[in-house]
Amino acid sequence: MTRNGETVKWITARRRHPLAGYVVVTLALTLFGVGYAVIAPGAERAEAQTLAAEAAAAEEQPTAEDVAEGREIYNKTCASCHGPNGEAGEGYTGPDITGEGAAAVDFQVSTGRMPSMNPDAQMPRKPPVLNQEEIDDLLAYYNAELGDPGAPGVPSSDIPGEPPKRADFEDHGAYEEALEEWEAKYEDYIEGAKNPNAGMELYLANCAHCHSWSGQGGALTGGRWAPEIGDATPLQIYEAMITGPGTMPEFSDKVITPDEKQDLIAYVKDLQAEPNAGGIFDLNRVAQVAEGFIAWTVGLTLIVACAIWITAKQRTHD
Amino acid sequence: MTRTTQAPKALRNAGNYIDDRFHLAKTGKKQLGKVFPNHWSFMLGEIALYSFIILLVTGVFLTLWFKPSMAEIVYDGAYEPMQGVTMSEAYASTLYINFEVRGGMLIRQIHHWAALIFLAAMLIHMLRVFFTGAFRKPREINWLIGIALFALAMVEGLFGYSLPDDLPSGMGVRILQGVMMALPIVGPYASMFLFGGAFPGEDIIPRLYMLHILLIPGILLALVGAHILILWHQKHTQYPGKGHTEKRVVGTPMLPAFAVKGGAFFFFVFAVITALSGFVQINPIHLFGPFTPTSITSGLQPDWYMGFMEGSLRIFPNWFDIDVAGYSIPTAVLVPGLVVPGLVFGAMALWPFVEAWISGDRRHHNVADRPRNAPVRTGMGVAGITFYGLLWMAGSNDILSETFSISLYATTWFFRITVIVGPIIGFIIAKRACLGLQRRDREQLEHGYESGTIQQLPSGEFIEVHKESSEDVVHVLESKEPVSRIDVRALDENGVEAPSSRGLMGRLRLRLAEWYTRDNVSFEGVEPHTGHHLRHGAHGEDNLSPQDREEAATT
Amino acid sequence: MTDTNRNHDNDGAEGPDRVIGTPSSAAGSRVIADNPQGDASQEGAYSPEETHTRPEELQRKGERTAAMWFTLAFLGGVGFLVSYFLFPPDAEGHPSIASPLIGQWSNMLMGGTLALSLFGIAAGMTVWARQIMPHYEVANDYDELPSPPEEKSSFSDFFMRGADESGFTKRPLMRRTLLLAMAPLGLAPIVLLRDTGPLPRDTLRHTLWEPGMHMVVEGAARHGEEGWIHEDDLTPGGMISALPYVEPDAEHPHGLSLNDQAQTVILLIKMHEREFSEEMTREQRNWTHNGIVAYSKICTHVGCPAALYESESHRILCPCHQSTFDATNGAKVVFGPANRPLPMLPITVDEEGYLVADGDFSEPVGPTFWDAQRGK
């Protein structure tokens, strides 16, 4: 209280100081700048994700046990909207998913978009509710009992998905091993792209108009948006292309072949991982809008601050 | 400085050598003593000047490697991610500057940041001049030159942005071409001539290059020269203050202090731009990829100064397009592309003359107006800023939509409405604020300032002690002149209206003059420090203006 | 400012220049700091106590501060030169700026040191001007505007005499023929620009598309027939950006110049036929094949690729200015500034089911020009 009182007094005594106005303006601008810096999402996300920790890729054929577990998961988390057979129908809010295919299920669940509380709104990417094992079980059940066999299944197991998470392992050694294995797989896939240049052309011709040149996403009509794809794993990008989640069009394996998809994914991932040769601040790779904003708020403000220093009134005592 | 030292011999000799040939001693002394008023806002134009110099220097450096050619090549330079990509030589040579010339990336980024700062500085310099009425007689011509400079700099920037032939830069050219095509009858011809055929052709970059490095900078340089010469000849305006009159300008002389201050400021500008260029990536063309006419990125934007045109292209609907018998006039392209910039620049160019015509003010002005003392002008300025600012924001409506999760069309509609309503509200608020400030000034002039000290009078009443403002403040407050106006109801001795107020234009002018001056707070008869607040306990009624009496009655 | 001061001033050389607060140098050392109640109170923005020279002690302090800044600037400058040589371009086995990470380092080191150096110089100079130089203001008279009447009339007389002597006003024949002579010369620069480009003629109305032409995926590096798009390749809800197939040569992987690409590029969209709008004309329906429809990818507004297809709402959005077209209804404009629908490319299949064009676009491609829809 007294401290506050003193502060107020201190301010009151100085509020008519000739420099008071400048101080207020400078403070306001600083606040603005810091505010922006806080709001602006961190740039390191993409890299952090790549290095993040985690689970093994179970490649064995699913057992009946897995299918049973999957059924339980389905009934617990999915059936309330999609119905007991995945056909939804009368009284259910969700769509019929029998024709969507396992790739779509994997995409929706592994990106945390499903299960969703609000079937009408576009879901943002979230940490997945189910862990890898549960997702595998769910897919086993879906393939065995719900899905239409003609719909796109989960693509080749060479395509890396989420890196293993530490929490899914009991001992550290197994985790390390799984992580290493995953990293090798990731590298094989990205480095193995035969023609990343074609990947660039395909990306610019078919993807950049929604997801932007940097993969930062963009606005769509009706309040929807094309999501940022920095966090998406190669597997998720692949699945998104073949299933066309939400309003995204489908790019079947015949239109863009698996090899070309690999090129495209390699291009995006390489671009996102590339350090910014122009300096550490990449302005979130938004480019022109952010550049103009910085030119005004940082550049011009600093220069004007210098002008104020140069021309400030000079008293004998300063 | 306490003693004049004898000039060193070498300097004297050099001086004599020059003077023998140019007779400069007298002029030299006079010019070196040129006065620069001390206020930061008089340095804004200098920011523009210095960034222009930086642009010239860095631009020359870039030309050493840049190849303005659209010939298609397969890149085999040092930058790995692009190896094997088909691209134009222009793009490849820009990659070369980025990755194979040491400091090339830095200089490119300095060039780009300096361009953004150049235009930003010009804009706020212009706003300073506008709001302080520094464009008034005798400086109207310099104001016009300033507008020409701004418009040319915009074009210069657009062309520079287009040269590297990366994905967004090519789209800027495409939009330029699209706007040209929309011109009735001449459009397709103009486009074919500029591009040397169909879009994109192979000529546009060499042609833009010539315009960007030769023609436009040449004109800019000439205009900057004229701008500064006129300024030098007419001398700076100055803010009101002690000793600052319409007849004489007060400030720091060029030699010694201002020369050093100006030099320091150049280095400050350069330092800030360089620091930005060192650490903040700008226009990463190597990440964008080369231009193809068939690809596009979301969030495509021009540099900030073209933002208002981009915005008007986005929000102007196609409702007014004219389609008759197979002939189309796409007003949704022509209005934003031509009418809006015409309106913005035209209004700015005409304003000094319109204002002088309305107010009938033909005097010379050297002391700057305080913005509050010209409420209508300030209001118009704020309306203009609002209009421009909203269009500018509309130019990034997709980014706004995505960042704040607003429906895309909702942002379009928001801007469609606010672009019309916003300036009106801005005008009203700014004018009201000015008038309020005028009243406060009058109050302070009469009663001194509120000291923040509360006293209790013997009667138990609490008052805030008012103190006399400093002499300097009084000077500033007293600088308010009655807003000059033509005599609205002037009748000559025969009871006939003055000729200037007759006819359609005359009546329009009368109405405008009334609107321009109507609400102004009069300072007439206000003597500094005569108000009752300074003499509490001794409410002398004799010195009070009617307004004060009213006030005294209500308190 | 007082008369006393004026007496010292300028040694009579220049009227207008006058130092406020300090006398001219000729007057020796009397500065206002020594004379705080001095006569400077009448003019200038500053009250007398703010008009001063600095005591020697302060000046010395200022000198040290400035010197510190300049030294910093020197070090920055040296650092700049060092960082230049630290990262050679294109050197075997050495860190090269062609690698983005090293480029970033090089850029930040060079930019940082250069900025430091420049800032040091700027700050040092500011300290120099503010702490070492005496502080005072001077006044200059503004020029008297306009010129006095005598000067004006003298000029006017002089000018008119010259004009009369020249006979320019009195000799209309000469004057008019001179102006006449100028006219063609004035036109010459405009005429000379004629060869900057060809006339449009009907180039804007035709593209490379011909009946029977196959299509390939834009950007995909597939060769020959392998790259042709088959009608079964597209699934409902699918979209792809495509170009006509022509025999490739070395220069153009697609065999297409950028100009041709700019005109021929299409969006192939597949949906269920039942999703087509009722409003679609019979002709437009004929241009589709089995739910596949082809639109020009170039926006009719100002020519950006309108590529953003939303498979749920079937809207095609141009990311530049947000013109929106309805893909189910002949790309009719449903929002935004575009003047007319995206031109449609009639398509069909060959006997093996590969998609082929069935003619050229329905309308001129690209930004709408004044007679774009003539003869439709």
Side-chain angles (χ1 to χ4, degrees):
Chain A
M1 180 62 223
T2 35
R3 172 158 274 209
N4 270 348
E6 268 164 33
T7 315
V8 170
K9 221 183 276 169
W10 188 87
I11 292 171
T12 312
R14 279 158 187 80
R15 75 193 163 106
R16 289 186 197 281
H17 191 276
L19 293 179
Y22 300 138
V23 170
V24 170
V25 169
T26 315
L27 279 179
L29 286 171
T30 315
L31 213 65
F32 197 50
V34 171
Y36 174 76
V38 170
I39 293 166
E44 302 88 283
R45 257 192 304 185
E47 288 155 65
Q49 178 266 326
T50 326
L51 299 172
E54 73 140 294
E59 290 199 16
E60 319 87 54
Q61 286 298 311
T63 61
E65 216 173 289
D66 293 338
V67 172
E69 300 241 335
R71 180 182 300 116
E72 200 172 311
I73 294 166
Y74 179 85
N75 288 334
K76 221 162 46 192
T77 51
C78 317
S80 61
C81 297
H82 297 289
N85 310 318
E87 285 166 349
E90 197 79 359
Y92 293 100
T93 50
D96 178 355
I97 55 169
T98 52
E100 297 292 330
V105 175
D106 187 38
F107 174 84
Q108 296 289 352
V109 177
S110 71
T111 60
R113 289 183 168 85
M114 289 287 147
S116 141
M117 296 302 125
N118 181 354
D120 296 324
Q122 181 180 354
M123 287 291 109
R125 189 188 175 85
K126 287 188 299 239
V129 172
L130 307 179
N131 66 25
Q132 192 59 51
E133 209 182 319
E134 291 167 328
I135 295 174
D136 289 338
D137 290 345
L138 182 65
L139 290 174
Y141 168 68
Y142 178 88
N143 282 333
E145 302 191 7
L146 302 181
D148 174 353
V154 175
S156 152
S157 59
D158 295 341
I159 308 170
E162 290 285 346
K165 287 189 187 61
R166 179 66 187 87
D168 297 340
F169 291 85
E170 283 181 7
D171 78 302
H172 195 70
Y175 164 68
E176 294 270 301
E177 206 174 292
L179 185 62
E180 231 164 78
E181 197 180 307
W182 178 86
E183 274 166 3
K185 184 171 158 189
Y186 188 89
E187 200 148 304
D188 278 353
Y189 188 72
I190 299 297
E191 304 278 307
K194 293 181 193 71
N195 194 349
N197 294 340
M200 178 178 82
E201 284 185 51
L202 283 167
Y203 181 81
L204 292 178
N206 295 300
C207 317
H209 44 73
C210 296
H211 296 284
S212 113
W213 61 275
S214 59
Q216 287 294 327
L220 303 176
T221 66
R224 286 180 298 256
W225 71 94
E228 195 209 339
I229 55 176
D231 290 343
T233 64
L235 182 63
Q236 287 161 352
I237 296 177
Y238 198 107
E239 287 168 346
M241 283 195 277
I242 54 176
T243 62
T247 205
M248 174 168 165
E250 285 175 30
F251 299 93
S252 73
D253 277 349
K254 287 184 192 151
V255 174
I256 298 180
T257 64
D259 279 352
E260 287 166 353
K261 285 197 171 83
Q262 188 178 358
D263 295 339
L264 195 157
I265 292 165
Y267 168 73
V268 175
K269 287 291 153 197
D270 280 342
L271 180 78
Q272 284 167 345
E274 183 175 328
N276 295 291
I280 39 169
F281 297 105
D282 64 353
L283 306 181
N284 222 16
R285 292 196 175 169
V286 169
Q288 294 85 5
V289 170
E291 290 160 7
F293 185 76
I294 294 298
W296 278 89
T297 53
V298 178
L300 207 58
T301 309
L302 285 177
I303 293 172
V304 168
C306 295
I308 290 173
W309 181 24
I310 289 176
T311 55
K313 279 196 179 179
Q314 286 182 281
R315 290 172 191 73
T316 32
H317 51 79
D318 66 12
Chain B
M1 55 229 56
T2 49
R3 196 175 345 109
T4 312
T5 38
Q6 180 81 25
K9 189 150 180 266
L11 204 57
R12 245 180 7 235
N13 287 344
N16 283 330
Y17 184 88
I18 291 169
D19 193 65
D20 281 350
R21 282 150 186 85
F22 300 109
H23 184 79
L24 275 179
K26 191 176 163 184
T27 326
K29 186 185 170 210
K30 189 174 169 201
Q31 301 310 335
L32 286 179
K34 154 130 178 86
V35 159
F36 290 82
N38 266 309
H39 193 275
W40 63 267
S41 70
F42 287 107
M43 309 285 273
L44 299 176
E46 274 174 57
I47 305 176
L49 176 66
Y50 298 147
S51 9
F52 184 56
I53 294 170
I54 295 168
L55 282 166
L56 290 179
V57 174
T58 51
V60 168
F61 181 87
L62 295 176
T63 59
L64 299 178
W65 293 279
F66 181 71
K67 295 194 183 83
S69 153
M70 295 176 86
E72 276 196 357
I73 57 162
V74 174
Y75 182 72
D76 62 350
Y79 178 60
E80 231 181 275
M82 286 290 165
Q83 279 163 6
V85 174
T86 308
M87 58 179 67
S88 69
E89 261 192 282
Y91 185 73
S93 62
T94 315
L95 288 179
Y96 185 83
I97 293 173
N98 272 358
F99 291 105
E100 292 176 71
V101 177
R102 276 172 286 181
M105 176 73 97
L106 182 67
I107 301 288
R108 248 200 73 233
Q109 301 210 104
I110 292 179
H111 196 69
H112 205 125
W113 279 117
L116 298 191
I117 299 282
F118 177 47
L119 277 126
M122 285 171 101
L123 187 62
I124 51 168
H125 171 57
M126 219 152 158
L127 291 176
R128 200 280 293 167
V129 168
F130 181 84
F131 283 113
T132 59
F135 56 78
R136 289 174 298 175
K137 191 175 172 186
R139 295 183 177 78
E140 307 97 317
I141 292 172
N142 231 16
W143 169 255
L144 292 180
I145 294 179
I147 289 168
L149 277 170
F150 187 76
L152 270 175
M154 262 177 61
V155 178
E156 174 76 351
L158 171 72
F159 290 174
Y161 173 91
S162 305
L163 289 180
D165 206 24
D166 55 295
L167 189 64
S169 86
M171 277 305 143
V173 178
R174 176 84 224 203
I175 293 169
L176 176 77
Q177 191 254 354
V179 173
M180 284 177 84
M181 288 287 278
L183 291 168
I185 304 170
V186 296
Y189 295 90
S191 164
M192 294 298 267
F193 289 158
L194 179 64
F195 285 77
F199 178 86
E202 298 220 323
D203 294 328
I204 187 65
I205 284 183
R207 287 176 186 179
L208 292 184
Y209 183 65
M210 178 281 291
L211 295 171
H212 180 76
I213 71 156
L214 180 71
L215 189 64
I216 303 179
I219 302 173
L220 279 175
L221 204 57
L223 288 179
V224 167
H227 200 70
I228 292 170
L229 275 179
I230 292 176
L231 160 86
W232 204 278
H233 184 65
Q234 295 183 327
K235 303 194 169 73
H236 280 77
T237 54
Q238 56 188 345
Y239 284 117
K242 212 160 42 163
H244 299 190
T245 70
E246 295 287 2
K247 299 263 176 235
R248 48 202 338 225
V249 54
V250 174
T252 306
M254 174 90 157
L255 188 77
F258 196 81
V260 175
K261 287 179 173 183
F265 196 46
F266 170 76
F267 284 105
F268 273 131
V269 174
F270 206 166
V272 170
I273 291 176
T274 308
L276 277 176
S277 311
F279 296 98
V280 190
Q281 177 165 276
I282 187 167
N283 201 29
I285 58 110
H286 57 287
L287 300 176
F288 291 147
F291 171 69
T292 87
T294 55
S295 296
I296 185 88
T297 167
S298 73
L300 182 86
Q301 306 289 339
D303 276 340
W304 77 259
Y305 42 85
M306 297 304 289
F308 81 102
M309 297 194 50
E310 173 78 4
S312 44
L313 273 170
R314 288 182 182 200
I315 63 170
F316 200 86
N318 62 0
W319 311 329
F320 310 104
D321 284 7
I322 299 163
D323 293 281
V324 178
Y327 292 93
S328 321
I329 301 177
T331 51
V333 181
L334 292 171
V335 171
L338 300 173
V339 178
V340 167
L343 210 66
V344 169
F345 287 107
M348 286 197 298
L350 286 179
W351 180 258
F353 307 100
V354 172
E355 190 189 287
W357 178 70
I358 294 175
S359 64
D361 186 356
R362 298 277 183 275
R363 292 168 301 166
H364 290 96
H365 294 278
N366 290 318
V367 176
D369 260 342
R370 303 173 75 210
R372 66 189 64 176
N373 290 340
V376 172
R377 181 201 300 144
T378 305
M380 291 299 276
V382 170
I385 292 177
T386 317
F387 181 69
Y388 182 93
L390 284 166
L391 285 180
W392 180 10
M393 280 168 72
S396 55
N397 74 334
D398 52 343
I399 305 244
L400 295 175
S401 160
E402 193 204 348
T403 311
F404 301 107
S405 306
I406 309 165
S407 160
L408 189 64
Y409 295 161
T411 62
T412 309
W413 274 104
F414 172 80
F415 287 116
R416 278 177 182 172
I417 294 165
T418 49
V419 138
I420 295 166
V421 179
I424 299 171
I425 296 173
F427 176 83
I428 293 170
I429 291 176
K431 193 176 161 201
R432 284 290 125 199
C434 286
L435 294 175
L437 287 169
Q438 283 188 9
R439 275 187 213 106
R440 203 185 74 173
D441 280 359
R442 186 189 148 110
E443 180 86 8
Q444 193 184 343
L445 189 58
E446 266 191 301
H447 304 294
Y449 69 93
E450 297 166 358
S451 64
T453 317
I454 306 292
Q455 265 183 6
Q456 191 177 17
L457 296 182
S459 59
E461 180 191 0
F462 283 96
I463 57 149
E464 184 175 10
V465 173
H466 282 60
K467 288 190 176 157
E468 291 199 8
S469 314
S470 72
E471 223 181 317
D472 214 23
V473 172
V474 171
H475 266 283
V476 172
L477 295 175
E478 281 188 322
S479 73
K480 180 177 188 302
E481 297 176 31
V483 171
S484 56
R485 60 192 292 182
I486 52 165
D487 202 351
V488 177
R489 311 245 171 263
L491 302 178
D492 66 11
E493 59 272 23
N494 303 324
V496 177
E497 281 179 286
S500 59
S501 55
R502 263 179 273 153
L504 196 62
M505 284 306 269
R507 243 166 294 152
L508 175 68
R509 186 178 171 204
L510 273 183
R511 295 281 290 278
L512 286 173
E514 194 177 344
W515 165 72
Y516 193 76
T517 54
R518 186 170 51 203
D519 302 321
N520 222 12
V521 175
S522 171
F523 275 32
E524 221 170 302
V526 175
E527 289 292 324
H529 305 143
T530 53
H532 60 113
H533 279 131
L534 282 167
R535 290 170 285 106
H536 265 288
H539 280 277
E541 296 284 310
D542 41 7
N543 265 332
L544 291 187
S545 63
Q547 204 189 345
D548 287 323
R549 276 199 205 97
E550 235 173 74
E551 225 173 273
T554 50
T555 44
Chain C
M1 184 61 58
T2 65
D3 292 332
T4 5
N5 210 345
R6 180 165 300 187
N7 290 340
H8 302 293
D9 209 21
N10 292 322
D11 311 326
E14 295 273 321
D17 281 332
R18 189 138 62 88
V19 176
I20 291 180
T22 62
S24 72
S25 50
S29 60
R30 196 178 67 90
V31 293
I32 209 67
D34 306 332
N35 182 13
Q37 300 311 313
D39 38 30
S41 56
Q42 307 299 312
E43 285 171 287
Y46 297 85
S47 43
E49 67 272 14
E50 289 163 11
T51 304
H52 50 77
T53 50
R54 306 257 163 201
E56 176 60 21
E57 186 195 334
L58 273 181
Q59 288 193 35
R60 222 178 290 138
K61 197 177 141 221
E63 186 184 5
R64 278 197 300 271
T65 318
M68 185 204 79
W69 279 116
F70 290 146
T71 313
L72 202 63
F74 168 76
L75 294 177
V78 171
F80 178 75
L81 296 178
V82 170
S83 20
Y84 182 87
F85 290 105
L86 217 51
F87 302 107
D90 212 9
E92 280 301 315
H94 291 284
S96 152
I97 55 170
S99 143
L101 188 61
I102 294 176
Q104 187 192 61
W105 272 100
S106 149
N107 191 57
M108 292 199 301
L109 264 176
M110 290 178 78
T113 49
L114 185 61
L116 181 71
S117 175
L118 294 165
F119 190 85
I121 292 174
M125 283 173 86
T126 309
V127 171
W128 172 19
R130 288 178 64 84
Q131 297 194 8
I132 296 176
M133 294 190 191
H135 180 66
Y136 56 83
E137 294 199 319
V138 297
N140 272 180
D141 284 350
Y142 285 111
D143 279 341
E144 209 44 68
L145 299 172
S147 306
E150 351 25 295
E151 279 179 29
K152 277 195 201 170
S153 67
S154 145
F155 172 82
S156 161
D157 291 346
F158 170 77
F159 183 84
M160 286 319 293
R161 197 177 69 229
D164 287 343
E165 282 171 3
S166 80
F168 191 72
T169 42
K170 263 200 300 202
R171 306 277 166 214
L173 180 63
M174 180 198 74
R175 187 177 70 237
R176 285 173 196 159
T177 46
L178 176 61
L179 290 178
L180 185 70
M182 299 281 193
L185 287 182
L187 282 174
I190 300 168
V191 170
L192 280 171
L193 289 178
R194 165 60 192 88
D195 281 347
T196 49
L199 294 177
R201 302 191 195 282
D202 62 351
T203 52
L204 298 169
R205 299 179 178 280
H206 300 291
T207 71
L208 222 56
W209 284 112
E210 288 171 3
M213 233 174 176
H214 287 94
M215 301 167 186
V216 289
V217 172
E218 182 195 349
R222 280 174 257 171
H223 303 290
E225 298 182 17
E226 225 185 297
W228 293 354
I229 301 173
H230 194 272
E231 65 165 320
D232 296 337
D233 289 356
L234 284 153
T235 45
M239 168 212 112
I240 195 71
S241 174
L243 289 168
Y245 171 78
V246 294
E247 286 298 324
D249 58 38
E251 205 182 341
H252 307 289
H254 290 299
L256 287 178
S257 67
L258 284 186
N259 282 18
D260 285 333
Q261 288 183 31
Q263 289 194 320
T264 54
V265 67
I266 51 170
L267 272 189
L268 281 175
I269 293 169
K270 170 149 177 145
M271 60 186 93
H272 298 291
E273 273 197 11
R274 58 180 141 83
E275 289 175 300
F276 284 134
S277 161
E278 304 276 298
E279 290 172 36
M280 237 179 164
T281 62
R282 175 175 289 276
E283 192 184 27
Q284 283 173 327
R285 286 234 180 201
N286 285 341
W287 289 339
T288 68
H289 173 79
N290 197 15
I292 302 174
V293 55
Y295 295 114
S296 162
K297 197 181 177 185
I298 306 297
C299 186
T300 54
H301 179 225
V302 286
C304 292
L308 202 161
Y309 168 62
E310 297 179 356
S311 66
E312 273 181 346
S313 58
H314 300 298
R315 282 191 282 219
I316 302 170
L317 177 73
C318 176
C320 287
H321 305 109
Q322 292 134 20
S323 296
T324 313
F325 307 90
D326 184 357
T328 65
N329 189 15
K332 193 180 151 207
V333 184
V334 289
F335 191 83
N339 172 271
R340 60 194 172 104
L342 296 171
M344 242 173 125
L345 183 77
I347 53 170
T348 179
V349 287
D350 65 9
E351 51 280 11
E352 288 163 71
Y354 287 107
L355 288 173
V356 291
D358 198 18
D360 204 346
F361 284 107
S362 56
E363 275 188 19
V365 166
T368 304
F369 49 95
W370 66 292
D371 60 348
Q373 296 174 89
R374 204 196 44 181
K376 195 180 108 180

